Amino acid sequence: RFTLGASAKLWRMHPSRRFQALGSSATYDIGVLAAPGVRWRIGARAGSLERGAGVQGFELGIAHVAGRLALAGDLGWRDGVGFRPSVGAEARLTRRLHVRAGLRDGDPAVGAGVALGAFRLDAAWTRMDAGGIIFVGGELDVAVSRGTAPTTR
């Protein structure tokens, strides 16, 4: 199994150093994900961090799922920063509740996610620029099914 994806983002840096979406700085990511086995995932991502710039960052990662536990690691490179490793683990406590912990660029990171039907809400905390930052995200899974064509006898 193999997939290719791309994303476009519009960011704006608020004077108080908080990121805001739908700003004027367009950036992008291009990624590939492969599943060479049922329990393994390998992915890579390249992208820009500033408007009009070429590739400024790259990551290569691997993940392994064993029952209710997933382990992952990646090595990233960012222009002006160099290489940085990250590792993490996620435990599925129930069908709906997941918890995570790891090291992001050497800094601790913790998070949790809850699934409610087709909606998923995730929150995480990590250190950034000598302070902490909280990320909150939501995801809605929408499935579109094709009807079958009428048959004649």
Side-chain angles (χ1 to χ4, degrees):
R1 297 175 284 179
F2 177 83
T3 188
L4 175 68
S7 70
K9 299 173 288 248
L10 297 171
W11 295 97
R12 178 170 79 108
M13 183 64 90
H14 192 275
S16 66
R17 297 186 44 79
R18 289 184 170 81
F19 288 105
Q20 294 182 350
L22 303 176
S24 60
S25 183
T27 62
Y28 64 87
D29 290 318
I30 298 172
V32 295
L33 180 65
V38 175
R39 298 183 186 277
W40 291 96
R41 304 290 181 272
I42 299 172
R45 180 198 64 82
S48 70
L49 303 169
E50 297 172 6
R51 181 183 190 154
V55 173
Q56 297 175 296
F58 181 83
E59 288 183 75
L60 178 64
I62 188 166
H64 179 70
V65 178
R68 292 178 172 233
L69 183 64
L71 304 171
D74 74 38
L75 182 62
W77 173 84
R78 194 166 61 208
D79 196 20
V81 175
F83 287 97
R84 60 201 206 301
S86 296
V87 295
E90 177 180 87
R92 189 178 62 209
L93 301 179
T94 68
R95 188 171 57 96
R96 296 179 184 208
L97 181 62
H98 300 234
V99 294
R100 299 172 204 88
L103 294 173
R104 179 189 160 273
D105 301 342
D107 290 324
V110 294
V114 62
L116 303 167
F119 182 71
R120 182 175 170 125
L121 180 65
D122 287 288
W125 173 89
T126 189
R127 286 190 350 195
M128 179 180 266
D129 296 336
I133 188 166
I134 296 173
F135 295 93
V136 177
E139 179 180 321
L140 180 63
D141 290 331
V142 179
V144 178
S145 62
R146 294 186 211 168
T148 56
T151 58
T152 58
R153 293 184 186 244

